[in-house]
Amino acid sequence: MTASTTVPEKPDVLSDEFAKDPHSYYKVMRDHYPVLHDEVSGYYFVSRYDDIARIYKDSDGFSNENYGFQMEPVIGKTVIQMSGREHTVNRQLITPALRGNYLEELLPQVDDLATEMIDKFRTAGRVDLVEDFTKWFPINVIVKMLDLPRTDLAKFHEWYSSLMAFLSNLTNDPEIHAWGMRTQQEYPAYILPIIAERRRNPGTDLISRLTQAEIEGEQFTDEQIKALIGLLLIAGGETTDKSIASTLKYLIQHPDQLEAVRNDPSLATQALVETLRFHPPVQIILRTTTDDLEVAGTVIPSGSVVGCVNGAANRDERRFEDPDTYNIFRTDISIKQAFAGSADHTAFALGRHFCVGSLLAKREAETAINQILATMPDIRFADGTVPADAGLFTRGPKALVVEFTPVS
């Protein structure tokens, strides 16, 4: 006789229980439901590493058309949903600003912004690093890049929060839809006059550079720049915020690794990469099938929305050794390739649509991690309480309250 194997119940991806602790369900998905069809949203959630890597790299079988309803209604059409020559040209127009000389010029200012923000609580002895630092640091960097008033930071945070909610609104919540529609009106009214003025009188800021950029005789329109800046707010704000907060959280939980980073600041990169694997800030990225396609034995119909569950893929024991252990010294992931389209983790997607702003995110996180650790030599969770995470599409600590002895 052979013992019968009980198949666990199919996880409800939209349930409160799933949102509280998705990692407890990810292994069930990988082992028993590698393609999980959710009847409420109609989406197909894929959880194994090899399947997700294939989806990201197969630009013929899987498209980014889903961003047409996820983002375009709020900020307009962006490079993230383009394909073919349109995608190539737009990406070539963007890349120099986020990976070229301009980025090198910006980096010292990134360091200065971090120092300025940390100085405000350097002697406090207790601080919520999410509310007082990680939530605002990436937006400060973007506002600096765009040469916009820092007094408008709250507006930018409101707009990118509404866009993130709209993007991940699987249940079609009418209040979230209405929030996105308000941003659809408020954001263009604010940014389009600024873009028009920079086109007339360009400076050295990113908006001015985008108005002047040209590839094969093509330039960005004001509407395209508006959409791109909206994308930059959400991609550069929400995800970097959560990457930094999560990395600090896991280092505090692993004091030996924290001390290693403190003693060798270059290891901050390894800590960030391990966080991108262990607990990616973007847990789910969507794609759309362009034909009937088979994934893990399941045929996904043409035109279906596919949820690539990065949080599950990056802990797939078929790909990573001891995947549920946070280890900045692991040898089964390349640090050199971690911020390129050939990365081992899936946090930034893979292939042609790999996040073009990954190098900026890398530098922001390195700066933040090293400056925080240098400022707080005995950093610890306040009251010994490990902070809880929140979010389905993007996920990170809701708060990160720490205590430390101020350095004189």
Side-chain angles (χ1 to χ4, degrees):
M1 294 179 63
T2 57
S4 61
T5 301
T6 302
V7 177
E9 184 179 355
K10 184 174 79 169
D12 181 357
V13 178
L14 302 185
S15 68
D16 291 339
E17 291 75 18
F18 192 100
K20 288 177 183 176
D21 184 16
H23 286 287
S24 66
Y25 295 97
Y26 286 161
K27 182 172 174 56
V28 174
M29 293 171 66
R30 290 192 303 266
D31 289 349
H32 302 283
Y33 305 95
V35 177
L36 187 156
H37 182 232
D38 176 66
E39 287 77 13
V40 175
S41 64
Y43 294 0
Y44 291 81
F45 292 96
V46 179
S47 51
R48 290 179 182 168
Y49 180 92
D50 285 346
D51 294 330
I52 289 176
R54 168 201 162 191
I55 291 170
Y56 284 148
K57 294 175 182 178
D58 183 2
S59 56
D60 293 326
F62 298 87
S63 76
N64 287 13
E65 293 176 16
N66 43 280
Y67 288 110
F69 67 81
Q70 276 189 290
M71 293 176 64
E72 187 173 353
V74 179
I75 61 170
K77 187 176 183 180
T78 71
V79 65
I80 200 171
Q81 71 192 82
M82 297 174 184
S83 60
R85 184 178 181 277
E86 183 182 29
H87 173 265
T88 300
V89 170
N90 276 266
R91 192 171 176 100
Q92 287 177 342
L93 284 166
I94 298 165
T95 298
L98 295 177
R99 287 182 171 256
N101 293 335
Y102 177 61
L103 178 58
E104 292 300 318
E105 295 171 16
L106 179 72
L107 294 183
Q109 300 174 60
V110 172
D111 297 342
D112 291 343
L113 281 169
T115 301
E116 177 187 333
M117 294 183 69
I118 292 170
D119 278 346
K120 294 178 180 178
F121 53 78
R122 187 180 298 275
T123 61
R126 182 184 175 109
V127 65
D128 180 351
L129 287 174
V130 168
E131 183 59 40
D132 294 327
F133 184 68
T134 69
K135 177 179 175 180
W136 300 105
F137 175 50
I139 306 179
N140 265 284
V141 173
I142 293 167
V143 166
K144 186 72 173 178
M145 293 171 67
L146 301 173
D147 192 20
L148 296 175
R150 292 179 70 178
T151 51
D152 290 336
L153 281 172
K155 290 182 181 179
F156 303 134
H157 188 271
E158 172 76 8
W159 291 333
Y160 95 57
S161 296
S162 73
L163 179 55
M164 189 66 241
F166 192 93
L167 182 148
S168 55
N169 188 17
L170 271 66
T171 59
N172 295 314
D173 185 317
E175 291 187 8
I176 291 177
H177 182 83
W179 189 16
M181 292 302 95
R182 289 196 298 274
T183 297
Q184 181 197 57
Q185 299 299 314
E186 295 170 3
Y187 169 62
Y190 174 93
I191 200 69
L192 283 171
I194 294 173
I195 296 170
E197 173 58 27
R198 302 283 173 87
R199 193 180 292 280
R200 290 190 296 268
N201 299 292
T204 59
D205 59 279
L206 180 57
I207 296 176
S208 296
R209 290 170 188 253
L210 291 173
T211 65
Q212 305 303 305
E214 183 174 328
I215 296 288
E216 298 178 11
E218 295 192 29
Q219 288 185 300
F220 283 124
T221 66
D222 289 5
E223 283 288 334
Q224 288 173 318
I225 294 174
K226 174 210 74 177
L228 177 57
I229 293 171
L231 176 62
L232 186 62
L233 283 170
I234 187 172
E238 177 88 2
T239 59
T240 307
D241 161 15
K242 288 176 167 52
S243 294
I244 296 169
S246 292
T247 301
L248 291 168
K249 171 184 170 178
Y250 292 125
L251 286 176
I252 296 171
Q253 286 184 285
H254 298 83
D256 55 333
Q257 298 182 56
L258 185 152
E259 280 306 305
V261 176
R262 192 194 308 282
N263 293 330
D264 181 359
S266 69
L267 292 178
T269 307
Q270 290 182 208
L272 172 62
V273 172
E274 177 62 349
T275 299
L276 293 173
R277 183 203 67 82
F278 186 76
H279 191 73
V282 182
Q283 294 272 301
I284 301 172
I285 294 177
L286 302 186
R287 291 290 187 264
T288 304
T289 54
T290 59
D291 204 345
D292 292 352
L293 296 169
E294 182 177 322
V295 177
T298 297
V299 175
I300 303 178
S302 177
S304 298
V305 178
V306 177
C308 297
V309 188
N310 295 323
N314 283 342
R315 292 206 201 177
D316 190 343
E317 55 280 340
R318 299 161 187 80
R319 172 62 181 79
F320 299 102
E321 183 179 350
D322 196 13
D324 291 321
T325 296
Y326 186 85
N327 177 15
I328 70 172
F329 299 107
R330 65 172 51 250
T331 59
D332 53 0
I333 192 166
S334 169
I335 303 300
K336 183 178 180 181
Q337 298 298 321
F339 299 93
S342 55
D344 296 308
H345 63 83
T346 63
F348 292 126
L350 296 168
R352 295 177 66 235
H353 283 280
F354 189 83
C355 176
V356 72
S358 62
L359 288 182
L360 174 60
K362 169 180 178 288
R363 178 53 188 270
E364 288 180 54
E366 291 168 344
T367 294
I369 293 163
N370 283 324
Q371 289 204 29
I372 289 292
L373 295 188
T375 302
M376 306 175 183
D378 60 348
I379 187 172
R380 57 198 180 274
F381 296 131
D383 309 316
T385 303
V386 178
D389 291 325
L392 179 63
F393 269 70
T394 61
R395 190 169 180 84
K398 292 187 290 186
L400 186 55
V401 183
V402 300
E403 295 175 337
F404 60 97
T405 303
V407 178
S408 58

